[in-house]
Amino acid sequence: MMTDKSNMVDITLNKDVLVVGAGSVGLETASKIASQGYKVSVIGQKTACARQSGCTDEMLNSGTVNIMQDVVLEDVAGVTGDFRVTLAKGEEKMKAVFGAVVVAPNYSYASLNGAYGLALSDRVMSQSQFEAFMDSDGLKKVAADSGSDADDVENVIVAFLTGFGQEGDPVSTGRALKSALAVQKTSGCKAYIYTGNIKVGAKGLERIFTEGRHAGVVCFKPSVMPEIEQNSDSVKISITDPVVRSTIELEPDYVVVEEALVVGQDNLDTATLLRIDTDLDGLLPSNNVHRFPVRSNRDGIFVASNSVDAANVALRIAELIGDGIKNVSADQAKVDEERCVICLTCYRSCPHGAIFWENGAAAISPAACQGCGICASECPMDAIQLGDFTDESLRKSVKDAVVSVEGSPSIVAFCCKNSALEAGEAAARFGHNMPAGFKMVKVPCAGKVDVEFIMKAFVEGADGVMVAACHEGNCKAERGNTYAKWRVNEIQKRLENMGLGKDCLCFTTIASNMAGEFAAKVNAFADKLA
Amino acid sequence: MIVAERKPFDEIRSMVAGYKKVLTVGCGTCVAVCLAGGSKEVETLNAELNLAFKKDGIEFGAETLERQCDMEFLAELDTRVDEYDALLSMACGAGIQFLAERFSHKPVLPAVNTSFIGVNLDVGWYEEKCRACGQCVLGMTGGVCPVTMCAKSLFNGPCGGTNKTSCEIHTDQPCAWFKIYERLAAQGRLDQIIEISPANDWSNQKPRTLIQPGYEERVKAMR
Ligand code: SF4
Ligand code: SF4
Ligand code: SF4
C-alpha cells in the first residue's frame, strides 16, 4: 500500500504490538506500550503479576493488554509495520499481524560459587538464594534470635563476593549493592562487599552505592581475588590491604556469591526466529553504537531487558508506528523484478532483515531498509540498485577518482560515509599531508564496495586501491565491514593468481575521529606502492 | 537444467496406498520447465490419485514451492506438514532429499525419476548434455561433452569401435568423438584432438560440497 510523493512514500503500519515474554519486564513493557495507545498481545509463560507490573484493570479488561498464557512464537515473516506471525498453543495454531515485536528475554542465573572455590551451604548462598532469604525475613529472624537486634551491635555479618568470578556488569553489581544496603539496614547486621569491579553504569546505582557507604556498608576492592577458606561451619576471607600493609581477615556468618546470566536456548531460539543478532555473550540484541540499545538489527523488533528498557521501547514504538502511516524515503534499495532470479542471496545477506519475496521476485521494504547496499553488491544478477549510490554513479565516481599526478601514485580509497570519509575529510581540513594522487569515493557502507568497482579502479589505471571501513563491531550495518574484508581478501588472491601481487590493494578500518591515523595509513600505503 | 520424468502411476499408487492424508509438493523451477513437477503436474497427479483412491478416502493436498532445493522455500511448509502423514515430492532428487531432511519425521516419497542435466529441444523434448564430472574439457573438445555422449566417457578418443559416425553400441547413437572431430575440423582446430587430456579423477564422484571463493569465512561462521 504505497502512494507516491516525489521521493517519499507513505507506508501503512499495523498498530498492534507483540511482546514475547510474560515475565515482569515483558508485562511492564506491555503496560507502557498500552499507555501510548497501542493494543498489545503478550505471549509466553506468565511469571509475574500483570497488575504489579503496571497493567491497569482497564487495560486488562478492555483487552488493550491481552495476555496469551503459554502461547509460543512459531514463525515470523514480513517486515517492520507488517510482521506476519504464527503463534502456537499446543497443537493449535493462529496467525496474526503486528506492526512491531518486542522481546523481553527471560534470562536465568547460575551461581558462580565454584569460581571462588566455595560450596553452597547454609552459610554460603547464591545472590538469588540470598534475595529469597531476605524476602522471607530470614536475616531479620536470625538477628533477633542471636539477641543482637539492638541498633548498636552488629553481630550478624554478611559478605558479598562479586566481580572476581566474571567481569561483572551493572545488573550483578546492582543486586549486590541493593542486598548489602538491605542487610545494613537490618538491625544487628553488617554488610561487607568484596568486589573486583564495581560497575555502576545504570540508572540509580551510583545513588545506592553512596547510600550504602553512608549507612555503613564496608567495601573492599582488592586487586586480586580474596583468599577464601571454607570449613564445615565457617568461612574465612582474607585480603591484603595495600594502605595499612596488613592482612585483613573476616569470618562472616553469611557469604553471598555473585551469579552469571545464563542466556538459555529459548531466548536464542527466539532471536533466530526473529533473525536478530545477539552480542558476544549471547545476550539480545547485539551492541551497535549507531542505534538505541533497545533496538535490534531489524527495524520494528525491540528488546527490553529491564524497566528502563520497557519505558524506552514504548517511546521508540510510538515513534515508529505513530498513527499508523509513515512517510519514508523511496530512494532505498530497489529490486528490478525483471532481472531477479529469486536466488535469495540478498535475503540471506541483508543485515536488517528488510528483504522478502513475493510474486516470484525479491522485494525490499523501504521502511526496513537502512540503505547499506550489501544486498546490491551481493546480488549475482545486478538486480538491486541503491537510490543515492547506483552502480552507474559509482562507476563514474571511480573513474573520476583515478587521477594521474606527476610523482604521486594514484590511489582510490573507497570510504564508508560513517567513518573513513569523515576521517579523510578531517585529515584534509587539518592540513595533514597526503599524496596528490589520493582520491576518496564515498560509499554508504563498506558493504557497498563491489568486487567490480575495485577491479574497475585498477582497469582505469589506479596504482593502489584502499577500502576503508568502520572498526570491527562498529559497522552501522553490522557486517558491511566484514563483507568488504572478505571481498578484498578474495580479490587479493585473484591478483596474486594473475601475477600482479596483492600489495596494490588494502583493507583498513578507521573511526571518524581518527584523522591523523587515516593520513598515516594513506601515506604508509603510498610508500609501499612507490 | 535438471530434467525429470514422472514415475509410472502404478508405482506412485503403491507408494501412497496406506496413508490417510498426503501432500503433493511440486517444484516451480527445473522440473516445472521440463513439464514433470510444476503446479500443473501436481494438480494432474492429484486428480489421478483422487480417482484411484476415491473408495479408500485418502486425501491429497497440493502445494508448489518456488524451489525445493532452498530451505527458505521449504520453510513455507513448516506449519502445514503436520496435517499430513506423508509428502509426495515432484522435485528432482536433490529437492526430494532436502524436503526429507527438513521434515525427517515424515515419510517423503518421490513422484518423479530424475533423469539428467540437459537442454530443451522443443516442448516436452529434452537431451542430456552434462554429467557434472567436475573437470570440464569442453574447451578441448569443440564444446561436445565426451563424458556424457561417449558410451565409455573417454577424455581421449575415439576408441576402436567408432563406426562410420556412430558409436559401436548402436547405429542410432552418434559417436561423440566423431562429433568432436567434425566440430574441431570446421573450426580449423584439429591439431587439438591430438593433445592428450589427463584422465579425470573419478574418485571425485563422492558426495561433493562446494564453497564459492570468498565465502569460506561466512560458511565457517554459519557452521
Ligand atoms: S540477490 Fe538479486 S537475483 Fe537474487 S533474489 Fe535478490 S534481487 Fe533477486
Ligand atoms: S540496502 Fe542494506 S538494509 Fe537495504 S535491503 Fe539492502 S542489505 Fe538490506
Ligand atoms: S529442487 Fe531440483 S528441480 Fe527443483 S529447482 Fe531445485 S534443482 Fe531444480
Side-chain angles (χ1 to χ4, degrees), chain A residues 256-271:
Chain A
V256 183
V257 280
E258 65 181 322
E259 291 173 319
L261 217 50
V262 181
V263 177
Q265 196 54 44
D266 48 343
N267 293 310
L268 293 177
D269 289 347
T270 306

mmCIF file of all heavy atoms in Angstrom, chain A residues 256-271:
data_model
loop_
_atom_site.group_PDB
_atom_site.id
_atom_site.type_symbol
_atom_site.label_atom_id
_atom_site.label_comp_id
_atom_site.label_asym_id
_atom_site.label_seq_id
_atom_site.Cartn_x
_atom_site.Cartn_y
_atom_site.Cartn_z
ATOM 1 N N VAL A 256 27.652 -14.310 50.337
ATOM 2 C CA VAL A 256 26.762 -14.281 49.175
ATOM 3 C C VAL A 256 27.617 -14.177 47.913
ATOM 4 O O VAL A 256 28.401 -13.239 47.775
ATOM 5 C CB VAL A 256 25.788 -13.073 49.248
ATOM 6 C CG1 VAL A 256 24.823 -13.097 48.072
ATOM 7 C CG2 VAL A 256 25.044 -13.094 50.576
ATOM 8 N N VAL A 257 27.481 -15.162 47.016
ATOM 9 C CA VAL A 257 28.301 -15.110 45.795
ATOM 10 C C VAL A 257 27.479 -14.634 44.599
ATOM 11 O O VAL A 257 26.278 -14.896 44.505
ATOM 12 C CB VAL A 257 28.949 -16.480 45.447
ATOM 13 C CG1 VAL A 257 30.172 -16.727 46.275
ATOM 14 C CG2 VAL A 257 27.957 -17.605 45.555
ATOM 15 N N GLU A 258 28.179 -13.951 43.734
ATOM 16 C CA GLU A 258 27.534 -13.392 42.534
ATOM 17 C C GLU A 258 27.063 -14.504 41.595
ATOM 18 O O GLU A 258 27.439 -15.661 41.738
ATOM 19 C CB GLU A 258 28.526 -12.496 41.792
ATOM 20 C CG GLU A 258 29.713 -13.286 41.250
ATOM 21 C CD GLU A 258 30.728 -12.416 40.536
ATOM 22 O OE1 GLU A 258 30.315 -11.483 39.840
ATOM 23 O OE2 GLU A 258 31.936 -12.679 40.684
ATOM 24 N N GLU A 259 26.237 -14.106 40.633
ATOM 25 C CA GLU A 259 25.712 -15.065 39.667
ATOM 26 C C GLU A 259 25.952 -14.573 38.243
ATOM 27 O O GLU A 259 26.022 -13.375 38.000
ATOM 28 C CB GLU A 259 24.203 -15.230 39.863
ATOM 29 C CG GLU A 259 23.846 -15.921 41.154
ATOM 30 C CD GLU A 259 22.364 -15.926 41.403
ATOM 31 O OE1 GLU A 259 21.700 -14.902 41.152
ATOM 32 O OE2 GLU A 259 21.866 -16.960 41.839
ATOM 33 N N ALA A 260 26.094 -15.527 37.337
ATOM 34 C CA ALA A 260 26.235 -15.174 35.921
ATOM 35 C C ALA A 260 24.883 -15.300 35.247
ATOM 36 O O ALA A 260 24.063 -16.127 35.626
ATOM 37 C CB ALA A 260 27.233 -16.098 35.250
ATOM 38 N N LEU A 261 24.676 -14.460 34.254
ATOM 39 C CA LEU A 261 23.447 -14.506 33.494
ATOM 40 C C LEU A 261 23.537 -15.665 32.500
ATOM 41 O O LEU A 261 24.520 -15.806 31.793
ATOM 42 C CB LEU A 261 23.328 -13.191 32.720
ATOM 43 C CG LEU A 261 21.961 -12.570 32.562
ATOM 44 C CD1 LEU A 261 21.247 -12.474 33.894
ATOM 45 C CD2 LEU A 261 22.112 -11.193 31.950
ATOM 46 N N VAL A 262 22.518 -16.505 32.464
ATOM 47 C CA VAL A 262 22.511 -17.607 31.501
ATOM 48 C C VAL A 262 21.467 -17.295 30.440
ATOM 49 O O VAL A 262 20.306 -17.058 30.751
ATOM 50 C CB VAL A 262 22.166 -18.941 32.192
ATOM 51 C CG1 VAL A 262 22.176 -20.080 31.190
ATOM 52 C CG2 VAL A 262 23.144 -19.205 33.319
ATOM 53 N N VAL A 263 21.926 -17.240 29.197
ATOM 54 C CA VAL A 263 21.028 -16.782 28.134
ATOM 55 C C VAL A 263 19.902 -17.788 27.889
ATOM 56 O O VAL A 263 18.737 -17.422 27.780
ATOM 57 C CB VAL A 263 21.822 -16.542 26.844
ATOM 58 C CG1 VAL A 263 20.882 -16.149 25.719
ATOM 59 C CG2 VAL A 263 22.839 -15.451 27.078
ATOM 60 N N GLY A 264 20.224 -19.048 27.811
ATOM 61 C CA GLY A 264 19.165 -20.052 27.629
ATOM 62 C C GLY A 264 18.780 -20.248 26.176
ATOM 63 O O GLY A 264 18.706 -19.298 25.397
ATOM 64 N N GLN A 265 18.536 -21.513 25.829
ATOM 65 C CA GLN A 265 18.238 -21.857 24.442
ATOM 66 C C GLN A 265 16.949 -21.181 23.965
ATOM 67 O O GLN A 265 16.854 -20.777 22.818
ATOM 68 C CB GLN A 265 18.146 -23.384 24.311
ATOM 69 C CG GLN A 265 18.217 -23.896 22.887
ATOM 70 C CD GLN A 265 19.450 -23.389 22.143
ATOM 71 O OE1 GLN A 265 20.549 -23.392 22.682
ATOM 72 N NE2 GLN A 265 19.255 -22.911 20.917
ATOM 73 N N ASP A 266 15.966 -21.022 24.862
ATOM 74 C CA ASP A 266 14.700 -20.434 24.417
ATOM 75 C C ASP A 266 14.887 -19.018 23.870
ATOM 76 O O ASP A 266 14.319 -18.650 22.846
ATOM 77 C CB ASP A 266 13.657 -20.463 25.551
ATOM 78 C CG ASP A 266 14.234 -19.944 26.865
ATOM 79 O OD1 ASP A 266 15.473 -19.880 26.988
ATOM 80 O OD2 ASP A 266 13.439 -19.608 27.762
ATOM 81 N N ASN A 267 15.730 -18.225 24.552
ATOM 82 C CA ASN A 267 15.968 -16.864 24.069
ATOM 83 C C ASN A 267 16.723 -16.865 22.748
ATOM 84 O O ASN A 267 16.459 -16.060 21.864
ATOM 85 C CB ASN A 267 16.746 -16.062 25.110
ATOM 86 C CG ASN A 267 15.923 -15.827 26.362
ATOM 87 O OD1 ASN A 267 14.783 -15.388 26.282
ATOM 88 N ND2 ASN A 267 16.487 -16.161 27.509
ATOM 89 N N LEU A 268 17.695 -17.790 22.623
ATOM 90 C CA LEU A 268 18.454 -17.869 21.384
ATOM 91 C C LEU A 268 17.543 -18.299 20.235
ATOM 92 O O LEU A 268 17.648 -17.792 19.118
ATOM 93 C CB LEU A 268 19.614 -18.862 21.527
ATOM 94 C CG LEU A 268 20.715 -18.427 22.501
ATOM 95 C CD1 LEU A 268 21.778 -19.505 22.630
ATOM 96 C CD2 LEU A 268 21.349 -17.115 22.057
ATOM 97 N N ASP A 269 16.618 -19.226 20.536
ATOM 98 C CA ASP A 269 15.684 -19.668 19.501
ATOM 99 C C ASP A 269 14.794 -18.511 19.044
ATOM 100 O O ASP A 269 14.522 -18.359 17.862
ATOM 101 C CB ASP A 269 14.804 -20.820 20.019
ATOM 102 C CG ASP A 269 15.596 -22.106 20.173
ATOM 103 O OD1 ASP A 269 16.727 -22.157 19.644
ATOM 104 O OD2 ASP A 269 15.101 -23.049 20.818
ATOM 105 N N THR A 270 14.345 -17.709 20.004
ATOM 106 C CA THR A 270 13.525 -16.553 19.643
ATOM 107 C C THR A 270 14.315 -15.613 18.741
ATOM 108 O O THR A 270 13.810 -15.123 17.734
ATOM 109 C CB THR A 270 13.079 -15.785 20.916
ATOM 110 O OG1 THR A 270 12.436 -16.703 21.787
ATOM 111 C CG2 THR A 270 12.150 -14.658 20.588
ATOM 112 N N ALA A 271 15.589 -15.387 19.096
ATOM 113 C CA ALA A 271 16.443 -14.499 18.284
ATOM 114 C C ALA A 271 16.582 -15.053 16.868
ATOM 115 O O ALA A 271 16.496 -14.304 15.893
ATOM 116 C CB ALA A 271 17.809 -14.336 18.938
#
